[in-house]
Amino acid sequence: MDGPPAVIWREEVERLLRYEDLVPRLEQALGLFSRRDAAAVLQPVRTAVPLSKHGGFFLLMPAYMEQDGVLCTKLVCAYKREDESSLPATQATVMLLDPLYGNVKAVMDGEVITAMRTAAVSAISAKAGTPSRVSRPEPLRGLHPDCIVVFNLFNVRLLLQVRVWSHSKERAESFVASLGGAASACVLVEAAVSGADAIVTATRSTEPLLLGRWVKPGAHVAAVGACRPDWRELDDRLMEEAVVYADSREAAMVESGDIILSGAEVFAELGEVLNGTKPAHRDKTTVFKSLGLAVEDAVSAKLVFDQWEDRTSSV
């Protein structure tokens, strides 16, 4: 309890947070969340305060993992920016607290945590939702906002082809350059998604961009954007034809325009699939609606803080 909280900047979070450590912890946390055991995870649907003057929202995302002694909250400001805007679309800060004393133990950059846990959960959903021959797709570090990314997957851990589309040609090309290998930028969404095994949508769109007639049967879609009840990324046809999963059924029915406006039914939470209480339906077209859970941030923040403590104590 003594002393000021640790402040962990972006560069250090990037050094400390590794996918090989993060993915199994997120799988466990998603499973615990879907058991609805208050002794394991307490997490309300996030609070959203409109910032009408600035075209944004202030979001508060608290979580308490009683058995693990983790108390955490993420503060996010999210904006709908014009394509040419130089202002950030999101700003996030994560606070880790001591649940016994109530003091803040650490304040850390939330952008890296958000990007990495989102990419990791998208990969976990693809692992659950795609055929066994492509059962371990890798998270893509640095997944850029306002992009649609598609994968043609060949076998375990191998990305045979990656195609990227964005409203911004520059962002798409920058992302492609960061990936290297067999990655390419596409001018049209249809060209990007045609024949893809797995599709990730991470856009700021408020209208459907991904149409069901473009998605091949049996593909898996991880829909990351459109986190407001009147925003869309996916059209009605895709939502009607696919088996729909979510990270949180409760949050999806409040926050996801793709689900609310299409009238689609959430078949299962990802945690239920991981727990084995609901099937993955790998033979069908699947959609995973990723809204982002506070428990994902909590697990990530604890991992960062534990690594930070180990390093500082050994100096």
Side-chain angles (χ1 to χ4, degrees):
M1 183 176 174
D2 294 335
V7 179
I8 307 175
W9 300 109
R10 179 187 183 97
E11 293 76 14
E12 194 157 11
V13 175
E14 287 179 330
R15 286 195 298 270
L16 297 173
L17 197 56
R18 297 185 296 268
Y19 281 119
E20 58 265 31
D21 301 321
L22 182 59
V23 168
R25 286 169 173 80
L26 287 172
E27 288 179 326
Q28 182 181 33
L30 289 164
L32 287 172
F33 173 79
S34 289
R35 287 177 190 151
R36 295 298 187 272
D37 181 357
V41 176
L42 281 172
Q43 180 203 290
V45 174
R46 63 185 146 208
T47 299
V49 178
L51 304 175
S52 302
K53 180 179 178 181
H54 307 288
F57 292 88
F58 171 61
L59 307 172
L60 179 65
M61 301 174 62
Y64 177 40
M65 304 177 72
E66 186 172 272
Q67 292 177 348
D68 298 319
V70 182
L71 179 62
C72 182
T73 191
K74 185 168 73 175
L75 311 174
V76 186
C77 286
Y79 304 91
K80 191 178 189 314
R81 305 293 195 194
E82 300 298 328
D83 289 341
E84 63 275 8
S85 175
S86 60
L87 295 173
T90 61
Q91 292 283 344
T93 302
V94 176
M95 299 173 63
L96 193 64
L97 298 91
D98 186 315
L100 176 60
Y101 290 99
N103 63 299
V104 178
K105 295 165 59 176
V107 178
M108 61 189 74
D109 173 83
E111 292 298 299
V112 175
I113 285 175
T114 301
M116 289 185 65
R117 61 83 153 151
T118 302
V121 171
S122 294
I124 292 168
S125 78
K127 174 182 173 181
T130 52
S132 57
R133 68 185 178 90
V134 293
S135 62
R136 293 187 63 188
E138 293 292 292
L140 292 180
R141 177 179 286 273
L143 183 62
H144 288 203
D146 201 29
C147 285
I148 291 178
V149 185
V150 305
F151 315 110
N152 282 331
L153 303 168
F154 180 66
N155 58 20
V156 174
R157 301 177 71 90
L158 175 63
L159 294 178
L160 181 62
Q161 186 182 64
V162 179
R163 299 196 297 271
V164 180
W165 174 90
S166 173
H167 279 113
S168 166
K169 179 182 177 183
E170 292 73 20
R171 275 197 290 268
E173 291 177 345
S174 172
F175 188 29
V176 165
S178 73
L179 295 176
S184 60
C186 295
V187 176
L188 300 175
V189 176
E190 183 178 2
V193 304
S194 178
D197 294 304
I199 303 169
V200 179
T201 59
T203 75
R204 298 196 299 269
S205 178
T206 58
E207 299 293 336
L209 284 171
L210 181 61
L211 306 186
R213 68 175 184 269
W214 299 338
V215 178
K216 82 171 188 179
H220 175 70
V221 179
V224 175
C227 60
R228 298 300 302 155
D230 55 347
W231 294 2
R232 299 288 302 268
E233 285 188 311
L234 318 180
D235 74 345
D236 285 349
R237 175 172 171 176
L238 177 55
M239 295 302 295
E240 290 166 2
E241 294 180 349
V243 179
V244 179
Y245 301 84
D247 45 14
S248 166
R249 185 181 281 102
E250 182 183 10
M253 298 309 299
V254 174
E255 297 182 326
S256 171
D258 284 320
I259 290 172
I260 295 167
L261 299 178
S262 69
E265 177 185 354
V266 176
F267 171 74
E269 291 181 344
L270 180 55
E272 292 176 312
V273 176
L274 296 173
N275 290 337
T277 58
K278 288 290 182 72
H281 285 300
R282 290 179 174 174
D283 57 329
K284 299 180 180 180
T285 303
T286 52
V287 167
F288 169 60
K289 182 56 213 175
S290 173
L291 289 161
L293 300 182
V295 70
E296 298 165 8
D297 300 311
V299 166
S300 304
K302 185 179 188 302
L303 183 55
V304 169
F305 184 70
D306 289 347
Q307 298 280 3
W308 179 86
E309 277 197 315
D310 289 344
R311 289 199 178 191
T312 54
S313 63
S314 63
V315 174

